[in-house]
Amino acid sequence: MDCERGRARPHAPYGLLLLDVQQAARVKDGPVRRRTAPSRIPVLPLALALLLLLLLSLVGGVGLGAAGVGRGEVARFLWAGLSGGTVHAADAASYTIVWEVRLPRVLLGAVVGAGLAAVGVAVQAMVRNALADPFVLGISSGAAVGANAVILLGAFAGLGVWALSASAFASALAAMTLVHAVARSPHGLTPLRLVLTGTALAYGFEAVTTVMVFGAARGEAARSAMMWLLGSLGGATWAQLPFAAATVAAGWAWLYGRAGALDALAMGDETASALGVRPARLRRELFLLTAAVTGTVVAVSGAIGFVGLMVPHVVRMLVGADHRRVLTVAPLAGAVLLVWADVLSRLLFAPAELPVGVITAVVGVPAFLLLMRRGGGYAFGGR
Amino acid sequence: MRLDIEDVTLEVAGTRLVEHIDLTVGSGAFAGLVGPNGSGKSTLLRALYRALRPAGGVVRLDGDDLHAMDARAAARKLAALPQESSAEFDFTAAEVVAMGRLPHRGRTAASDREIVAGAMERTGVVHLADRGFLGLSGGEKQRVLIARALAQQPGVLVLDEPTNHLDVAHQLDVLSLVRDSGPTVLAALHDLNLAAAHCDVLYVLDSGRIVAHGPPHDVLQPPLLAQVFGVRAHPVRHPVTGAVQLLFDLLPPTT
């Protein structure tokens, strides 16, 4: 076997007899099975099923709400809205609820859920730590500072209706840059430093928000700032949808196109280099993308936690770690999860609304713990 | 594919770790890089798989400057097994091997599958395809990683202590697998007897400089081993095979 390539062995005196031990090695490796193979669900059927579920959820989300609008009416209003038809003057109030309040809200929920899930995947690959998400890196808290500056202090008033989005986006970028700058060391940007820096700065950003809330004279403003910190889709309008949807879609497409590079990055920086990926540059690009998508999402929904952390975990348990598969399924799962979380946040204490982040945590934590106990072949954080 | 390292100097965070290295591995040869801990073996190899850019000098593959190439083009010519093998996410063995296809452009799923399957067959890991990589034994992991490197279809294969943490049977197994795999090989190795048995040529690195090179039995002489590793070496014939083995003990303290 050593001579297969016709290689002469000029240093025969040092040679060892290899064959016996080699055979021994193979035999020893053979029957030992330490862990069962991770079970994998085929991606395409799962994605199609989730897509169908998402469509049903959108319709369900529009149909369910505090103000009782009959199922037939909801269908009629939706059809009227889609086809440009007319509704009776008597139905105007109900129509407005369905078409102008619930529908954009449900659609925005789907967009935000998909965006958070995709960005969660990106961050976890970026810092090579399955316990990271935009919130861990402080980007969400940073964006929330910007949003609250607009709401409470009237910052960036010159930007008009775009003030909120622009401010959240800009402060997400600023938070990202700060985390990046502080986490940098002469040896580059290590995952551990990023996570630690992000977590520390997140507390700082939250403190800033809290000071702003307590500094504000208006009670209602403080309450709405809390909604921003915990997340809410209550302010959804049609005007917010195109920009948010386009950003999330573009971010997802960018990630999907680099699924292979994300796989390599997940194996380690050195391995990524050896596979022709430039880890430092990819990580910088991921940081920017994360800030852009997170800023956009926080601008329309506040800092909704847990989706970006939970969804990628669950999806990996179902379809494995391959990023092409994960990125196919995770946004759909995130969208479905958030649509239903929002429905619950509207219904549980109707007519009062819970912050949707409370629901995602209450629903997600037990499910997460359960899956963690069952999750056969899935390794957390590789340890 | 021929590997030439010409007058390469490497710095990390301003500290010069490796200086003026000249090293050549002829096409298809197996070269070993040996040296004490901290002598710069890993640092030198990192420059080869482009985790580190030389502060001076050139690395050439068949005459082409490795660091002037596009990252992916370089990865099509040179594959590496870095020492880290801690994945955070549990890819299957087949997925890990498939990553070797990443640097190749214009590939199709069918051709990728074929090449990946071929690489797994050559390294004997077909039966592990659907197993999680993190659950494999050390020996199985190395075989899977070698399959990944072979799936890259490289001309040069760089290995950083591929036999670390392996029992003696798996050490021999991994090295003969690499030796028979095809590409030109440069491997950092700790075990001198192992290096001698497998390498066509050895380079000895000490404090960031090459202090000796040549055929193993010429290089691994007691005076050099005393100077570089600080050990006294005794060549001994194997009672059964007659192969020369080195036994070591510490040098008596000299004052």
Side-chain angles (χ1 to χ4, degrees):
Chain A
M1 138 148 233
D2 291 302
C3 301
E4 262 172 23
R5 297 179 59 223
R7 216 195 288 253
R9 298 180 126 268
H11 333 300
Y14 287 101
L16 295 168
L17 281 178
L18 305 179
L19 290 175
D20 289 351
V21 265
Q22 264 176 36
Q23 278 155 3
R26 302 240 167 84
V27 170
K28 182 170 164 277
D29 263 3
V32 183
R33 289 186 71 86
R34 281 156 207 85
R35 193 156 46 156
T36 52
S39 58
R40 302 285 160 91
I41 298 176
V43 168
L44 197 62
L46 180 62
L48 289 176
L50 277 171
L51 194 61
L52 187 67
L53 185 60
L54 177 59
L55 292 176
L56 292 174
S57 304
L58 292 175
V59 174
V62 173
L64 294 167
V69 183
R71 254 176 270 170
E73 285 177 289
V74 169
R76 194 152 53 79
F77 295 152
L78 281 178
W79 176 247
L82 284 173
S83 63
T86 53
V87 291
H88 290 297
D91 291 338
S94 300
Y95 173 78
T96 303
I97 288 175
V98 168
W99 189 259
E100 298 292 340
V101 177
R102 282 191 201 165
L103 185 57
R105 175 171 186 158
V106 169
L107 289 174
L108 192 70
V111 166
V112 166
L116 288 174
V119 117
V121 173
V123 172
Q124 290 177 11
M126 174 173 71
V127 305
R128 208 176 305 125
N129 186 325
L131 294 175
D133 79 342
F135 301 82
V136 172
L137 288 198
I139 301 173
S140 293
S141 330
V145 169
N148 279 285
V150 171
I151 298 174
L152 297 178
L153 311 174
F156 304 110
L159 291 173
V161 291
W162 290 100
L164 204 56
S165 297
S167 176
F169 183 77
S171 53
L173 279 174
M176 176 271 295
T177 312
L178 186 61
V179 172
H180 194 268
V182 176
R184 257 190 103 76
S185 74
H187 302 286
L189 203 59
T190 63
L192 182 65
R193 283 180 74 101
L194 258 184
V195 170
L196 289 176
T197 310
T199 309
L201 287 178
Y203 279 109
F205 294 137
E206 279 164 23
V208 171
T209 302
T210 308
V211 166
M212 282 156 67
V213 166
F214 277 85
R218 297 168 290 175
E220 193 57 25
R223 187 169 154 262
S224 98
M226 286 313 290
M227 292 292 280
W228 275 90
L229 276 182
L230 290 164
S232 165
L233 292 160
T237 64
W238 281 108
Q240 294 171 335
L241 259 175
F243 182 65
T247 309
V248 167
W252 174 83
W254 190 93
L255 286 172
Y256 192 80
R258 280 155 189 78
L262 293 177
D263 288 343
L265 193 68
M267 292 295 287
D269 280 13
E270 311 258 292
T271 300
S273 289
L275 290 170
V277 174
R278 296 162 70 182
R281 190 173 78 169
L282 179 60
R283 193 170 278 128
R284 275 199 300 277
E285 289 170 351
L286 283 169
F287 220 114
L288 276 170
L289 172 120
T290 302
V293 174
T294 307
T296 307
V297 163
V298 170
V300 295
S301 67
I304 300 173
F306 203 67
V307 178
L309 193 64
M310 152 103 179
V311 171
H313 270 296
V314 176
V315 170
R316 278 195 201 97
M317 288 182 199
L318 295 177
V319 303
D322 182 278
H323 278 90
R324 200 172 296 275
R325 298 157 68 93
V326 171
L327 283 167
T328 304
V329 174
L332 291 169
V336 170
L337 174 69
L338 201 58
V339 166
W340 286 107
D342 183 50
V343 167
L344 281 179
S345 83
R346 286 184 275 146
L347 289 183
L348 276 184
F349 293 92
E353 277 189 21
L354 275 177
V356 70
V358 173
I359 305 287
T360 55
V362 166
V363 174
V365 169
F368 185 72
L369 293 177
L370 204 66
L371 282 162
M372 196 167 72
R373 287 181 66 87
R374 281 188 190 165
Y378 186 80
F380 282 88
R383 292 181 223 299
Chain B
M1 183 172 276
R2 183 188 162 91
L3 169 68
D4 289 291
I5 300 175
E6 299 171 358
D7 195 27
V8 162
T9 294
L10 298 166
E11 290 174 0
V12 174
T15 311
R16 187 164 283 209
L17 297 179
V18 163
E19 286 183 286
H20 305 299
I21 300 289
D22 284 297
L23 186 157
T24 294
V25 190
S27 195
F30 190 134
L33 193 58
V34 297
N37 290 336
S39 58
K41 299 189 297 287
S42 294
T43 307
L44 180 59
L45 296 188
R46 288 184 75 215
L48 298 184
Y49 53 81
R50 294 166 54 104
L52 202 59
R53 227 190 147 76
V58 190
V59 178
R60 294 187 193 280
L61 298 177
D62 272 351
D64 300 328
D65 184 350
L66 176 76
H67 290 271
M69 289 178 204
D70 167 69
R72 286 165 61 133
R76 289 194 288 272
K77 297 191 170 185
L78 185 145
L81 261 69
Q83 252 194 60
E84 61 173 13
S85 69
S86 70
E88 290 291 316
F89 305 109
D90 203 8
F91 294 94
T92 63
E95 284 166 353
V96 170
V97 177
M99 287 179 201
R101 301 304 299 155
L102 191 60
H104 291 266
R105 289 179 199 275
R107 59 206 167 95
T108 62
S111 73
D112 277 1
R113 253 199 307 280
E114 205 174 296
I115 290 162
V116 166
M120 295 183 75
E121 214 160 286
R122 283 168 67 190
T123 57
V125 293
V126 174
H127 64 291
L128 304 175
D130 294 325
R131 297 264 306 275
F133 180 75
L134 300 179
L136 300 179
S137 73
E140 290 169 335
K141 276 184 185 166
Q142 284 300 32
R143 290 179 150 262
V144 168
L145 293 178
I146 292 168
R148 184 189 73 203
L150 294 184
Q152 263 172 275
Q153 299 182 312
V156 175
L157 179 54
V158 168
L159 305 118
D160 194 354
E161 293 182 16
T163 55
N164 246 3
H165 310 303
L166 297 185
D167 62 47
V168 62
H170 284 97
Q171 291 181 3
L172 299 175
D173 178 48
V174 160
L175 286 183
S176 43
L177 187 63
V178 167
R179 191 182 170 82
D180 296 333
S181 65
T184 305
V185 178
L186 176 60
L189 294 168
H190 252 311
D191 187 318
L192 299 178
N193 283 313
L194 214 53
H198 287 84
C199 299
D200 301 315
V201 58
L202 280 187
Y203 281 82
V204 182
L205 204 56
D206 187 22
S207 306
R209 288 173 178 274
I210 299 281
V211 292
H213 68 96
H217 65 282
D218 293 348
V219 169
L220 297 181
Q221 293 297 328
L224 178 89
L225 295 170
Q227 174 209 327
V228 173
F229 291 91
V231 293
R232 191 161 55 182
H234 312 270
V236 183
R237 281 208 182 274
H238 193 290
V240 178
T241 68
V244 173
Q245 299 280 293
L246 293 169
L247 298 179
F248 305 104
D249 56 37
L250 282 175
L251 282 174
T254 50
T255 39

